Amino acid sequence: MTDRHPCRPEIADARDPAALARGGELLRAGGLVAFPTETVYGLAADATDARAVARIFEAKRRPSFNPLISHCADADSAFAHGRFAHARFEERARALAHAFWPGPLTLVVPRAPDSDIAALTGAGLDTLALRVPGGDVARRLIEQVGRPVAAPSANRSGSISPTTARHVADSLGRAVDLILDGGACTVGVESTVLDVCGDRPALLRPGGLPREELEAVAGPLLDPARDPDAPASPGQLASHYAPRARLRLNATDPTADEALLAFGPDVPDGAKITANLSPTGDLREAAANLFAQLHALDRADVRGIAAMPVPETGLGAAINDRLSRAAAPRD
Ligand code: TXA
Ligand code: MG
């Protein structure tokens, strides 16, 4: 059964195999599909497609590029995107996955250099948040896509997380291509986020999996709210977004020893190397390219990176937020 209305998104019954197949097709083609997990409804895009992921930030009006969780169908396909510093860290992460996946647990792991998850999905960090969500609909949808699925909660930024298809429709409207209705979510709060990159796992966000259950498997957890040695949440870590090369903002006059991060059709000459966020001035395309281009320019042998001005509207605000963090003075 499908519900259509000119100013409302399409809602389809998630039990209908044809609806799930269509959700998979839309995602493979770069679309946005809301789907139920056991925690909350997620707003999905193909995690390997930076343009599709940029649409998530735009649809949610998320003010900056907070990294997204990549959802996988099973633990093996999730861990293919991680590379741990020590085998014992990986063993511990796998034990947690074995105990709690599928389920309301997100593991932050070191990003494998060959992972095809888009840089934008992980907000340019060298870690990735991975989760195998519970519920048949989520698993079958991810299997249909055949790639990891990036998904924050399917609501406008700053509003309450959705636990029914109706909540999603009310919050996102036509910004989403299809909503798969699988009824009310059973857990109802977002997943617990646990950083397992280092010696001791750190609780980054309390959530649907209680701390006591985690500690029974992983031992005592570091708590960033209480422990100064624990990793902070990524929004606060300006240096994580910073390239090695010095970044200069609002630049229109690049020098011969600089790389130019351009935007729009009018690109000044003179830079040693240029990458254009969007030759047509499309902010969605620019958002999709930002982290990957910063990485690429940073690998070039240049004295610094000159970034052209980007308008402050729409996704431009998030782009400028990240560029100014990257340009901020460092210790
Ligand atoms: O239950 C959930 O987790 C839902 C469903 C849809 O799966 N998703 C969700 O996503 O709550 P979101 O985007 O609202 O929250 C993701 C959280 C954010 O706090 C983000 O900062 C954190 O995960 N996160 C993502 N990648 C990270 C990373 N590499 N390091 C540390 N934290 C990360
Ligand atoms: Mg959220």
Side-chain angles (χ1 to χ4, degrees), residues 35 37 39-43 60 62 66-69 71 106 108 122 125 127-129 131 133 151-153 189-191 193 195 204-205 232-234:
F35 72 110
T37 77
T39 59
V40 299
Y41 273 72
L43 180 62
K60 279 181 68 78
R62 199 149 153 149
N66 198 1
L68 303 177
I69 299 168
H71 298 69
T106 293
V108 172
L125 299 173
T127 56
L128 282 175
R131 163 161 133 82
S153 51
V189 293
E190 290 92 341
S191 61
V193 180
D195 181 315
L204 298 186
R205 178 177 75 179
S233 97

Side-chain angles (χ1 to χ4, degrees), residues 93-122:
R94 284 194 180 264
L96 283 161
H98 184 71
F100 301 115
W101 279 353
L105 173 67
T106 293
L107 294 175
V108 172
V109 309
R111 181 192 175 101
D114 57 354
S115 167
D116 58 357
I117 291 176
L120 180 61
T121 307

Side-chain angles (χ1 to χ4, degrees), residues 17 31 42 61 90 103 115 174-175 202 211 213 222 232 322 326-327 330:
R61 304 202 187 123
E90 175 158 1
S115 167
R174 300 288 300 216
R211 178 183 192 139
E213 290 188 38
L222 285 172
R322 286 305 183 243
R330 304 170 205 165

